[in-house]
Structures are given as structure tokens and as C-alpha cells.
Amino acid sequence: MSEQWYTGVVTKIVNETHNTRRYWIRVPEKAAFEFKPGQFVTLDLPIHEKKNKRWRSYSIASHPNGSPEIELVIVLLEGGAGTTYLFNEVREGSELLLQGPLGKFTLPEPMEKDLFLICTGTGIAPFRSMVHHLHLHQLPHPNIYLIFGVRYEKDILYKEEMRQLEAEMPGFHYLPTLSREDSGLWTGRKGYVHSVYEELLADRRPANFFLCGWKAMIDEAKQKITAMGYDRHDIHLELYG
């Protein structure tokens, strides 16, 4: 675990949806920013006198590629001091103080059971990193189901990229699921993420669950997965908010 703080420079900002942005941050002190897919960084933002009220943690959305640059995907939280600062004050060229990589939310070794990557909103970030890493290095893996819940089609992050990965990666299944979409144009899954894994695991085969996103979703998923007969040790989580 790295306790050291680094100065990162924002090299690029892209609006991904109406309320999420992608931030590319380069750490000039490092020749390569080494991390394991699924890890996060903590930003120290100038929004409070007290340290612990300035710190905001975000999963790294990019995969390790030997460069000193990482990508974060961040949703604007209404009334959130951290994201308000990032959205209103930070520009390309801005400096951000960051610490990392941190966290143990990483792929199981060995990967023997089917993997269910269940997320909402920007919770897709660590899973994007994991799947790209597996694909890039052609690592053997079991079936992987990325179940991604958002409200509307316009909220889906990395849609084309995930569809392309699904086409290129045997055993990778991309399952975006919309809870409020009613346009009639959406032909994919509707409802909440829970019905998707419950349906896919009707046979109760061995599985590993990774949950990332809002607390309400994670609490409900933990309850439902254990009710299906899985052990709590099969469940790994990263909480947002």
C-alpha cells in the first residue's frame, strides 16, 4: 500500500454523459503508474480544513498499461463538495494531489468460478479495468457476466467499448440493465440488476460476486446472494457514497 502523495496533472477531460466525466491524470514522478485492476486512488481536494473531509476515493477506470497516466470516471453528486469542485474548478492542466494505488478489490487468483461483476453508475470503473486487462493479456478466465444497472440508456457508460469487448472476448457477457427506460427503442434488459443474476444462476452453480456502486444496491445484492445459498466469502465489495 502506497502512503505517498503524488502531484497529478489533469491531461484530458471528457463529458461522458449528462452528469459524468472522464478525467485523465498523469503522475509525472512515475515512469509507470503500477496498479492492479480494481484498485483505487484517493484525491486530496482543497474543500475543507480537515484532511479526512478533503479525501475522495475513486476506482481507476483504465487498465495498467505501463504509462504514468490513469483514467477516473466521476459522477456529479448533487450537493457533493468533492465532485462540485472537480466539475467546476478542475480544468485540463490542473494539478491534483493523489495517493495510491489502494485497495484489495482485485480479481481472484486462481479464477475458477464464474465471475459476476455487478455494478451501478460509475461502479463500472474497476470492472472496465479488469476486463480490459484480461483481454489485453489473453488471460484464461471463466465466464464473466458484467451486469450494469443505470436508469436510462443515456446513462450507460462505455457502451460501444463493452459491446466490442463482448464480441472479441469468448466467455465475456455484457448485460446493461435499465430501471426506468420506457422509450420503446431499448430492446435490452429492463429492471434492476438483481433479477439478472438471479435468473442466470437459477442452477446455483459456483460463482464469485464483485459488487460496486451505491450502498442500497450492494446491501440488497448481499441479501439476495446469500439467500440464494452462496457464502458471504463469495461476495467482494467496493462501496460508493
Side-chain angles (χ1 to χ4, degrees), residues 90-184:
V90 172
R91 305 275 177 270
E92 290 175 2
S94 295
E95 293 189 341
L96 290 170
L97 206 54
L98 66 92
Q99 184 188 57
L102 303 162
K104 297 185 170 72
F105 189 70
T106 53
L107 287 162
E109 291 172 19
M111 282 187 292
E112 293 166 337
K113 306 173 186 176
D114 284 2
L115 279 183
F116 284 78
L117 311 177
I118 304 161
C119 54
T120 46
T122 53
I124 194 173
F127 301 147
R128 177 186 184 235
S129 180
M130 290 175 185
V131 176
H132 271 293
H133 177 73
L134 292 172
H135 184 48
L136 182 70
H137 297 284
Q138 295 292 303
L139 299 172
H141 59 81
N143 281 311
I144 300 173
Y145 300 89
L146 176 61
I147 304 170
F148 177 36
V150 287
R151 290 175 175 176
Y152 301 102
E153 189 172 7
K154 66 179 170 62
D155 300 323
I156 299 177
L157 300 165
Y158 305 117
K159 181 166 61 180
E160 297 315 319
E161 188 183 297
M162 289 300 141
R163 285 189 171 148
Q164 191 175 340
L165 276 171
E166 184 177 42
E168 293 173 7
M169 263 181 96
F172 173 57
H173 310 274
Y174 170 55
L175 303 160
T177 306
L178 308 183
S179 61
R180 298 195 184 170
E181 187 62 61
D182 50 8
S183 68

Side-chain angles (χ1 to χ4, degrees), residues 50-116:
K50 289 186 179 164
K51 275 185 187 174
N52 61 346
K53 298 209 169 169
R54 296 201 305 257
W55 293 356
R56 297 291 186 275
S57 296
Y58 299 101
S59 294
I60 302 171
S62 46
H63 54 282
N65 60 3
S67 90
E69 196 166 68
I70 57 170
E71 180 189 330
L72 307 179
V73 58
I74 297 172
V75 61
L76 180 62
L77 296 178
E78 215 164 301
T83 59
T84 299
Y85 175 82
L86 287 166
F87 273 64
N88 292 347
E89 308 298 330
V90 172
R91 305 275 177 270
E92 290 175 2
S94 295
E95 293 189 341
L96 290 170
L97 206 54
L98 66 92
Q99 184 188 57
L102 303 162
K104 297 185 170 72
F105 189 70
T106 53
L107 287 162
E109 291 172 19
M111 282 187 292
E112 293 166 337
K113 306 173 186 176
D114 284 2
L115 279 183
F116 284 78

